[in-house]
Amino acid sequence: PMSQHRAALAAILVAVVAIFALSVVPATAAPPAPTNPLVAAAIGYDGTWQGECWAFVKKIVREATGQQMGFDYRQGYFDAGAVEIADPGDAQPGDIIQMVRDSDSGPNADYPGLHNGIIVENLGGGLFNIIDSNRDFDGVVHQRKNYSPSIAAARYGLNFHIYRIAAGATAKSAPGIPTVPSALTAPAPGQVLLAGDRARVYTPGDVLNLRSGAGRDASVKAILAHGTPVTVLSGPTLNSGLTWLKVSTPSGEGWVAAEFLTKDAAVTPSSAGAVTPVLQYRSFIPLAASD
């Protein structure tokens, strides 16, 4: 049998071992590094100033995939070869959520709620952890938890879309946005367009204003991209040094300067299926931009 002293020493030894065991707390494992290249690139900018959300997303897409997005808030994604994810439940890390008004997604769109963010995690039930820039109008990149795009879209009366862009993707056209025939040529000298004729906007690298009346002083109803198809309804009317035609377009009816239309020629078999994306550039030709 142990003496009283030995029993006391054993108790002290057990207590010391217990205290030491309690003090050694297993180190918390670091969260795994994101495997999606867009998420990894975006998180690298967390907490830094990157400006507006649109510019930040375009930068991340370019760095992570090598793809260049366009300028239209919808077509711009398809210019980079995006596919749209119809079911939010199928969204994955690296997919991009966009808040937009489908009827007003052109390069000059500017209204409350217009926003873009990159999915970090799909939580299910329509909720996501995302990373975005300028959510607080400070130009800073933040991670946002439990984000619901459906609630955000309803708050502002907007639509929301989810896009996926992979390296090496091929440019395409967004649903409802026409592609541009590769055979599109400049207006022929002395070209005459009459009611019923079909034509296309010819403003390479620029856009054309669809106006409420026949003149530069009329309000702008929509902005038409190079290659947009139109059907002549009436005209011509001379005003402001230009010839104006009333036309029907995918964006509605209005007046355009005939000098920036080319009669729509039939697409030859060799060029059928060959398309280029709408709104390839944002640079503006002064004459076309001031029509």
Side-chain angles (χ1 to χ4, degrees):
M2 291 190 298
S3 67
Q4 292 180 341
H5 292 291
R6 287 185 176 180
L9 288 173
I12 293 173
L13 179 60
V14 170
V16 169
V17 171
I19 292 172
F20 179 76
L22 291 175
S23 64
V24 179
V25 179
T28 302
T35 57
N36 180 273
L38 277 85
V39 175
I43 288 179
Y45 291 101
D46 194 11
T48 67
W49 188 93
Q50 296 298 322
E52 294 184 352
C53 61
W54 177 247
F56 175 64
V57 166
K58 291 178 70 173
K59 177 178 181 177
I60 295 302
V61 167
R62 184 174 63 251
E63 290 183 0
T65 71
Q67 303 298 324
Q68 180 64 51
M69 292 173 58
F71 297 98
D72 182 279
Y73 283 93
R74 282 213 72 200
Q75 178 61 37
Y77 284 98
F78 293 94
D79 289 346
V83 294
E84 186 165 348
I85 308 303
D87 184 355
D90 295 332
Q92 302 174 2
D95 292 346
I96 303 168
I97 299 175
Q98 178 206 46
M99 300 288 130
V100 70
R101 184 178 297 125
D102 285 356
S103 60
D104 185 9
S105 65
N108 296 320
D110 184 16
Y111 41 80
L114 183 65
H115 194 63
N116 306 266
I118 299 170
I119 294 175
V120 175
E121 183 179 4
N122 187 341
L123 302 175
L127 295 178
F128 302 89
N129 292 339
I130 70 170
I131 184 168
D132 55 9
S133 183
N134 200 40
R135 75 174 186 195
D136 300 322
F137 305 101
D138 57 2
V140 177
V141 177
H142 297 286
Q143 293 193 53
R144 190 189 312 211
K145 306 293 185 180
N146 300 309
Y147 177 71
S148 171
S150 61
I151 292 177
R155 182 181 301 124
Y156 296 102
L158 303 180
N159 309 100
F160 81 89
H161 303 275
I162 300 176
Y163 302 106
R164 182 173 300 158
I165 303 176
T170 303
K172 55 181 72 72
S173 182
I177 300 181
T179 54
V180 182
S182 59
L184 193 63
T185 57
Q191 169 185 268
V192 176
L193 292 170
L194 303 173
D197 285 343
R198 294 183 178 180
R200 286 183 180 264
V201 172
Y202 190 83
T203 53
D206 207 335
V207 293
L208 181 66
N209 291 324
L210 179 70
R211 296 186 177 272
S212 59
R216 286 176 171 154
D217 56 343
S219 61
V220 176
K221 299 178 64 177
I223 296 175
L224 306 178
H226 172 63
T228 299
V230 304
T231 300
V232 179
L233 299 178
S234 65
T237 298
L238 297 177
N239 191 2
S240 309
L242 294 171
T243 302
W244 297 86
L245 297 170
K246 186 175 184 181
V247 296
S248 173
T249 80
S251 300
E253 295 182 2
W255 293 79
V256 298
E259 285 78 0
F260 303 104
L261 298 179
T262 183
K263 188 172 289 188
D264 201 1
V267 179
T268 63
S270 62
S271 62
V275 297
T276 55
V278 178
L279 287 175
Q280 301 173 48
Y281 310 100
R282 183 68 187 277
S283 60
F284 291 95
I285 301 171
L287 179 60
S290 62
D291 57 7

